[in-house]
Amino acid sequence: MAVTWDVVSYDGNKTVDGLSDVLTAVHWTASESETVGSGDSAVVHTGSRYGSIGLAEPDSSSFIALNSVTKDNLVAWAKAALGSDEVTAIETDVAAQITESKTPTNFSGSPS
C-alpha cells in the first residue's frame, strides 16, 4: 500500500497583495495501514504523521480562488512546501511505524 495524504484544515488571510482569501498554511496527515491475517484473527497495523506547513506567497498568474481549491491542490502544495526529501522521510517513518507494530522491538508493562 501507499501512504495516503489528507488535509485536516487550512489557514489563510482575507487579502494578500490584492488577492482575496489567500491560503497561508495547510494542516496535513499522512497515514497507511496493513491488515495481517483474516477474519477474527485479523490485526490492522497503522502508521501516521500529522503536521502543518506554511505556503509560499501567492502568484497572481496562477492563483486559484478559495472556492475552487481542491484537496488534491492542498496536498500538492503541502508536499511542495515540505520538499521531496521531507516527504520521503515522512512516508518512510509511517512505514517504519507499521513495521514496529508488526514486529515490536520495545515493550512496556507494569508490576503485578
Side-chain angles (χ1 to χ4, degrees):
M1 274 187 91
V3 172
T4 300
W5 288 76
D6 203 358
V7 175
V8 176
S9 63
Y10 53 78
D11 301 323
N13 290 329
K14 283 295 194 182
T15 306
V16 175
D17 295 332
L19 300 171
S20 297
D21 297 330
V22 175
L23 298 178
T24 58
V26 176
H27 305 272
W28 53 266
T29 60
S31 61
E32 183 177 8
S33 65
E34 181 179 334
T35 302
V36 176
S38 61
D40 291 340
S41 64
V43 176
V44 178
H45 302 276
T46 61
S48 66
R49 289 274 304 267
Y50 166 84
S52 299
I53 188 75
L55 301 175
E57 290 289 319
D59 177 359
S60 62
S61 66
S62 60
F63 182 74
I64 300 174
L66 181 58
N67 62 355
S68 297
V69 172
T70 66
K71 181 178 90 169
D72 289 342
N73 293 133
L74 292 166
V75 167
W77 295 339
K79 285 180 161 184
L82 287 164
S84 62
D85 289 346
E86 184 63 15
V87 168
T88 299
I90 290 165
E91 292 180 348
T92 299
D93 181 58
V94 169
Q97 291 175 41
I98 292 171
T99 299
E100 177 67 21
S101 176
K102 289 168 39 180
T103 53
T105 57
N106 297 299
F107 64 90
S108 61
S110 59
S112 33

